[in-house]
Amino acid sequence: MTTEIYTEKNKINKIVKADMKENLNTIRNIGIVAHIDAGKTTTTERILFYAGKIYKIGEVDEGTTTTDWMVQERERGITITSAATYCNWNNYHINIIDTPGHIDFTVEVERSLKVLDGVVVIFCAVGGVEPQSETVWHQADKYHVARIAFINKLDRSGADFFSVLSEMDSKLVTLNVPVQLPIYDSDEFVGVIDLIKNKAAYFEGEAGEKVVYKEIPENYKDSASEYKDNLIEKLAELDDEIMQTVISGEKIKEELMVSKIRHYVLANKLVPVLCGSSLKNKGVQLLIDAVCNYLPSPKDLGTVRGFSVDGKDYETIEVSPSSPLCALNFKVFTDSFVGKLFYTRIYSGKIAANSIVYNSTKREKEKVSKILRMHANKQEIINEAKAGDIVCLVGLKETTTGDTLCSEKYPIIMEAIKFPEPVVSVAIEPKTQADQEKLFVGLQKLEDEDPSFRVLYNKETGQNVISGMGQLHLEIMVDRLLREFNVKAKIGRPQVAYKETITRKVEAVGKFIQQTGGHGQYGHVVLLIEPQEKGKGIVFENKIKGGAIPKEFIPSVEGGVLEAITSGVLGGYPVVDVKVTLMDGSSHAVDSSELAFKIAAEMALKDGLRRAAPILLEPVMELEAITPNEYLSQVIGDLNTRRAKITSVAERKNLKIIKAEVPLVEVFNYADVLRNLTQGRASYTIEPSYYEKVPETLLIKILGV
Ligand SMILES: Nc1nc2c(ncn2[C@@H]2O[C@H](COP(=O)(O)OP(=O)(O)OP(=O)(O)O)[C@@H](O)[C@H]2O)c(=O)[nH]1
Ligand SMILES: [Mg+2]
């Protein structure tokens, strides 16, 4: 098979042999996940370097890494979009997704975890188990993703491997077992003890590329033997064969230990803990070995499970290239040269370039014109992709994030990916008429790419309102509009993304009747409008029997309802969790039209919402503040004035960790507040938690009425 390589200018300049692995057992689909700044991108860059995929190590701080390729990522030194790449290590083919740590880009982690078989969770040896690390851990639990842990940054002063271990034990409900220990010479981190090999590993050469195994240093022998016993003990508790070997007094062979660890990692019963310093080029090769040794291959999934097209039954397909196709699109990205790229994980079967696949979610046939293998923002064209691969498809028209692609003969729909609701909004106004058109195109593309980014047109103010996961998220989107789509626009002040819902069931009548001679207007509808359970969204049902409203006008009624419900009656915010049933109505043989029914539906809906005891909902955030002991009372005192519910106060060394639930509107400028309260010595993170009713007393302040 041949492969054509694209250059940055999108010209094919090379033909190379594809290295697609036929053997599923030697494929690894892994993600690198962690709290912001733990060193995911730095680690990924080393993995690519040691595996020979790149020939020079790039650095985050210099804006030269492979996976932080977007201009916004390079400028800011943070990851924004998850980048897919791959490399080969010994006989293994490893597909890697480097994910962002900032909570505003959590969608990128969520969708990656959905399609990955295993993850490396990185912890900072100084920061420990930071909030976003806990969040990704729980996300990995949700998708049953097997994991290994890597305690990074052991070169930093204040690094403490053992304290991170005990924090992991208290915060993460898993069996975390060290398989390595750090070695220090004076205060310098110099190498890693491999407890399975009973050796000390050092990383020599200019970029730590030569792994040299030596005897464990004398002063580490006791702790190495203690932690080796601990590892064997933990395995023996899980496994009879190991237990029997221990009882018989025999030595446990390295291969047996590796295969047992692998078994329990796959079963999500054990997490081996490794360590190193990616920046100082120490420990990464052993991490790659661990990825191959312990994390699952696509084959380990056994079967892929989904629903039948009618949603009533489960369907399963064996994971194999010779099974029928089952693939999941988990991301759409617009490349300025190639067009839309559809990031797709193939679970079973094959896809060939220039073939037709069936999008079972949309029930549409789609043509795949090209298949690309991604190396961050570079692409290689391949002719075929098969079970186990993560590739980009080109040419699809109707597919959106979360859709299943399969064979029309064996339809299956995989469970959709759930995305969080945006919590911050900002109005965006094009500077000139020419910008208006470009803004529309740009926003549409960005909305296609990012399910946590929404665009709404507010009829009342005539403005476009964009919503996202946080201020940084929106800032990046506006920056992309300017640079990628050349849109000059004015931005309003960030606002909380409120929502509206109702608390009472009402019947509402809408009549749009104008009969003043000649061709008039006649639309008449009766709607039942009722609250729905949280998270159920908006549902429209038609219960008209006997043709009170002719069939051809029903879509207009539905359209009117769905359009009007995007802007509620309290503050024009989107309405959620409401069911609207079309009960009755009437029509006129000549005067009725689609427009008349649409307007009648809008009138009925607005009137109904007003009488259905509407309430305003606000996003509540989970906040974690870490402060030196002496500022504890000031920080808590201040939080109490912000309608916060303090949920816990814990201790780490001489720091206090305060967890609280607090409405977003109260902590919009919390960075400044905390800086002033603690002379800049505290830090905090917030993440969206849930929506709650705004107290009546605050309605006037928020709505300005
Ligand atoms: N001292 C030290 N610094 C490190 C190490 N690994 C990474 N860093 C630094 O930590 C900072 C963050 O590194 P990144 O690799 O961007 O971290 P990340 O986890 O990818 O961050 P996000 O993707 O933005 O969440 C950079 O300044 C790195 O140089 C390490 O082992 N030791
Ligand atoms: Mg990164």
Side-chain angles (χ1 to χ4, degrees), residues 40-41 68 78-79 98-101:
K40 297 173 288 296
T41 303
D68 279 355
I78 56 165
T79 304
D98 173 27
T99 66

Side-chain angles (χ1 to χ4, degrees), residues 284-526:
V284 177
Q285 293 94 327
L286 306 197
L287 175 64
I288 320 178
D289 285 338
V291 164
C292 302
N293 285 340
Y294 305 136
L295 290 179
S297 83
K299 192 81 192 153
D300 290 312
L301 270 182
T303 53
V304 48
R305 213 163 110 109
F307 298 101
S308 58
V309 174
D310 60 12
K312 286 190 184 141
D313 293 313
Y314 282 116
E315 299 281 343
T316 50
I317 297 181
E318 196 198 331
V319 170
S320 157
S322 47
S323 296
L325 174 68
C326 177
L328 185 80
N329 170 256
F330 63 97
K331 175 167 168 151
V332 179
F333 194 85
T334 307
D335 180 286
S336 40
F337 298 115
V338 185
K340 270 194 190 175
L341 302 175
F342 296 84
Y343 283 75
T344 304
R345 161 78 197 255
I346 302 172
Y347 288 90
S348 63
K350 297 176 188 171
I351 301 181
N354 283 315
S355 69
I356 304 287
V357 294
Y358 182 62
N359 178 332
S360 48
T361 315
K362 299 270 181 345
R363 295 175 199 205
E364 299 266 2
K365 283 186 195 159
E366 288 271 54
K367 166 130 193 232
V368 176
S369 60
K370 264 188 215 150
I371 306 175
L372 307 172
R373 171 161 293 164
M374 300 303 291
H375 175 48
N377 57 334
K378 308 230 167 44
Q379 304 123 11
E380 293 169 17
I381 299 182
I382 54 177
N383 303 332
E384 185 182 72
K386 45 172 90 103
D389 273 330
I390 293 180
V391 291
C392 277
L393 307 179
V394 181
L396 313 184
K397 296 272 181 293
E398 304 297 330
T399 300
T400 54
T401 304
D403 287 1
T404 306
L405 303 174
C406 59
S407 142
E408 198 174 4
K409 269 205 232 147
Y410 302 95
I412 179 169
I413 302 182
M414 295 193 72
E415 200 183 336
I417 315 173
K418 287 210 177 79
F419 294 112
E421 284 294 312
V423 290
V424 179
S425 297
V426 72
I428 179 162
E429 234 178 274
K431 282 216 168 123
T432 65
Q433 192 60 37
D435 288 314
Q436 173 82 47
E437 184 64 17
K438 285 189 277 180
L439 177 71
F440 180 74
V441 174
L443 286 177
Q444 179 126 35
K445 285 198 172 146
L446 294 177
E447 203 179 16
D448 272 355
E449 280 181 13
D450 185 344
S452 65
F453 176 71
R454 308 266 165 82
V455 182
L456 262 181
Y457 179 68
N458 187 327
K459 262 192 182 167
E460 259 114 272
T461 59
Q463 281 173 322
N464 284 299
V465 177
I466 56 173
S467 313
M469 299 307 296
Q471 278 158 276
L472 179 63
H473 187 198
L474 294 180
E475 209 181 288
I476 299 289
M477 288 306 201
V478 170
D479 193 62
R480 288 188 60 190
L481 277 174
L482 180 70
R483 298 206 212 194
E484 285 167 43
F485 302 96
N486 197 19
V487 180
K488 292 190 193 65
K490 275 206 307 240
I491 310 299
R493 263 189 335 123
Q495 309 271 340
V496 168
Y498 292 104
K499 291 182 190 306
E500 298 182 21
T501 191
I502 54 169
T503 55
R504 195 190 299 150
K505 179 164 150 178
V506 293
E507 202 174 88
V509 179
K511 280 186 184 163
F512 182 62
I513 300 174
Q514 288 178 346
Q515 290 170 313
T516 47
H519 198 300
Q521 295 285 4
Y522 192 103
H524 168 211
V525 302
V526 180

Side-chain angles (χ1 to χ4, degrees), residues 640-656:
N640 282 334
T641 67
R642 297 175 187 276
R643 297 192 280 138
K645 263 186 253 152
I646 310 285
T647 50
S648 71
V649 179
E651 247 185 289
R652 187 196 300 148
K653 295 195 174 154
N654 56 348
L655 297 171
K656 285 280 191 299

Side-chain angles (χ1 to χ4, degrees), residues 32-46 59-62 65 67-68 73 76-81 98-103 105 122 124 126 132 150-157 189 276-282:
I32 315 278
V33 296
H35 189 83
I36 188 161
D37 267 358
K40 297 173 288 296
T41 303
T42 305
T43 306
T44 308
E45 188 75 8
R46 267 63 183 177
E59 297 296 354
V60 170
D61 304 315
E62 291 159 18
T65 62
T67 48
D68 279 355
E73 297 181 310
R76 291 161 200 252
I78 56 165
T79 304
I80 292 166
T81 184
D98 173 27
T99 66
H102 196 289
I103 184 67
F105 311 113
I122 299 189
C124 167
V126 180
Q132 192 57 12
F150 182 69
I151 300 182
N152 185 32
K153 301 201 184 183
L154 280 161
D155 60 294
R156 282 184 58 188
S157 79
F189 172 62
S277 161
S278 297
L279 187 68
K280 302 287 172 180
N281 305 322
K282 290 184 173 50

